[in-house]
């Protein structure tokens, strides 16, 4: 088996994947959402402390499988430095104790492989990666080489949902809360937010201006508490503008490139508004749409073990002194 370890942000996760048949033999994640919710976002120091408690507890559950582990795959980039250290430190200690090699995994590549948890990879492939920390469109060729087609110059798609939720005190994470309120909207014409970079030819995303539009509308309702209807109408307008922004740039990319298949990955890819829009785009373009199971859209160790399996077969191991964390690295 490959042991996968994920601790790049606020989820502690461990997985065991069968090398031969890709069967997920064990997978568990301990979320820190309730602990971070009062702060409206992830507090790095708190996340680090919680990882030191959760990771050993998960490890205790798989002790009977230690003899079957052939390699340890661990996320070492990108992410919160204090969180990455927890997983990498545990991986190094286990590698020594079990006398098995280490495999370094890029968290973003892990998200790509969330599309192929129980099957062999299918490249070439276009990918939209939307999460709390990243928004990017990727082109992956037949050999697995990744090229960046579009990125964000400021906030990510998922982060903008979290910040809008924080403005309205909806808790963390904000994606589900905003989506659910948007579906309760009674006045779809009440708020009209400008779609960012709509007439800009650059293939680039930017959510800071949209987030500021939301803030200004909330401030206009000062002097009284936001009602559920207020929040629902704001969430509806915001979600539509954010998804329209994603689709505007994607449509331009689809005109320039002919994708045989296209995947959506990352925690924010669970947004149903976005999924339905991309489904229509792919249908119109004659492109096969690949979706990660909702359970594995957010950070998880199964996708890390899945990348680890590919690297194991290719013999792509790292020495202990070469396994370092790279918090800001991209794909």
């Amino acid at each position: 088996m490959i042991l996968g370890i994920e601790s790049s942000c606020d989820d502690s996760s461990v997985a065991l994947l069968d090398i031969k048949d890709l069967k997920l033999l064990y997978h568990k994640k301990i979320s820190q959402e309730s602990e971070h919710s009062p702060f409206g976002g992830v507090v790095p120091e708190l996340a680090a402390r919680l990882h030191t408690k959760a990771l050993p507890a998960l490890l205790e559950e798989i002790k009977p499988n230690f003899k079957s582990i052939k390699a340890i795959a661990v996320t070492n980039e990108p992410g919160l430095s204090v969180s990455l250290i927890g997983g990498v430190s545990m991986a190094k200690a286990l590698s020594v104790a079990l006398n098995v090699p280490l495999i370094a995994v890029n968290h973003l590549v892990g998200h790509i492989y969330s599309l192929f948890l129980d099957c062999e990879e299918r490249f070439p492939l276009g990918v939209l990666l939307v999460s709390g920390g990243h928004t990017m469109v990727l082109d992956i060729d037949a050999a697995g080489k990744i090229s960046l087609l579009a990125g964000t110059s400021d906030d990510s798609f998922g982060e903008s949902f979290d910040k809008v939720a924080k403005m309205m005190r909806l808790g963390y994470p904000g994606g589900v809360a905003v989506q659910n309120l948007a579906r309760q909207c009674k006045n779809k014409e009440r708020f009209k937010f400008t779609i960012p970079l709509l007439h800009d030819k650059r293939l680039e995303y930017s959510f800071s201006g949209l987030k500021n539009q939301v803030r200004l509308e909330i401030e206009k309702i000062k002097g009284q508490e936001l009602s559920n209807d207020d929040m629902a109408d704001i969430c509806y307008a915001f979600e539509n503008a954010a998804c329209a922004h994603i689709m505007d740039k994607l449509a331009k990319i689809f005109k320039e490139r002919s994708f045989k298949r296209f995947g959506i990955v990352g925690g924010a890819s669970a947004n149903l508004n976005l999924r339905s829009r991309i489904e229509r785009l792919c249908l119109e373009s004659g492109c096969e749409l690949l979706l990660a199971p909702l359970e594995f859209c957010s950070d998880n160790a199964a996708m890390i073990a899945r990348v680890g399996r590919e690297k194991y077969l290719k013999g792509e191991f790292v020495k202990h002194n070469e396994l370092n964390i790279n918090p800001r690295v991209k794909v």
Side-chain angles (χ1 to χ4, degrees), residues 36-277:
H36 294 287
S37 185
F39 305 100
V42 177
V43 181
E45 293 77 9
L46 176 59
R49 291 199 300 272
L50 293 171
H51 280 308
T52 61
K53 178 182 179 181
L55 287 172
L58 293 173
L59 200 62
E60 190 69 27
E61 294 186 12
I62 62 168
K63 268 189 174 181
N65 302 105
F66 276 3
K67 290 183 179 179
S68 299
I69 294 172
K70 297 299 182 184
I72 300 170
V74 61
T75 303
N76 72 313
E77 59 185 21
L80 295 175
S81 58
V82 292
S83 294
L84 289 168
I85 287 172
V88 168
S89 297
M90 187 169 82
K92 287 182 177 181
L94 273 174
S95 172
V96 172
L98 302 179
N99 192 30
V100 294
L102 285 169
I103 298 170
V105 177
N106 182 302
H107 176 80
L108 305 181
V109 176
H111 276 303
I112 294 170
Y113 274 84
S114 67
L115 297 168
F116 310 113
L117 290 176
D118 59 356
C119 63
E120 297 296 337
E121 60 196 34
R122 297 173 65 200
F123 299 147
L125 174 74
V127 169
L128 171 68
L129 195 163
V130 279
S131 67
H134 305 276
T135 298
M136 54 183 68
V137 182
L138 306 169
D139 184 24
I140 308 168
D141 67 18
K145 183 180 178 182
I146 302 172
S147 300
L148 178 67
L149 302 181
T152 178
S153 58
D154 43 61
D155 291 351
S156 70
F157 181 77
E159 183 183 9
S160 66
F161 275 75
D162 289 338
K163 289 184 177 177
V164 167
K166 186 176 182 180
M167 292 178 201
M168 293 185 282
R169 301 178 182 176
L170 299 177
Y172 170 85
V176 174
V178 170
Q179 176 178 262
N180 289 342
L181 272 170
R183 299 173 80 176
Q184 299 173 34
C185 175
K186 295 178 180 178
N187 186 353
K188 296 181 179 180
E189 302 300 320
R190 183 178 174 188
F191 298 102
K192 293 291 185 181
F193 296 132
T194 303
I195 299 171
L197 305 178
L198 185 59
H199 302 294
D200 194 312
K201 293 182 180 180
R202 289 175 297 170
L203 295 177
E204 185 175 287
Y205 291 110
S206 172
F207 293 92
S208 60
L210 177 57
K211 178 189 65 180
N212 193 50
Q213 290 182 66
V214 174
R215 180 184 63 80
L216 293 174
E217 291 298 335
I218 290 175
E219 288 183 355
K220 287 180 184 177
I221 313 176
K222 263 198 225 176
Q224 61 183 40
E225 286 293 321
L226 285 172
S227 68
N228 191 77
D229 285 348
D230 291 332
M231 292 189 291
D233 293 347
I234 289 172
C235 287
Y236 175 85
F238 161 74
E239 182 184 60
N240 270 333
C243 290
H245 180 33
I246 292 287
M247 297 310 298
D248 174 54
K249 301 303 179 184
L250 264 187
K252 289 180 172 64
I253 290 172
F254 267 63
K255 284 183 179 179
E256 294 178 358
R257 292 171 179 264
S258 178
F259 294 111
K260 183 178 180 180
R261 58 185 69 91
F262 192 83
I264 321 172
V265 300
S269 70
N271 182 273
L272 300 178
N273 188 324
L274 182 63
R275 282 195 171 209
S276 64
R277 290 173 185 242

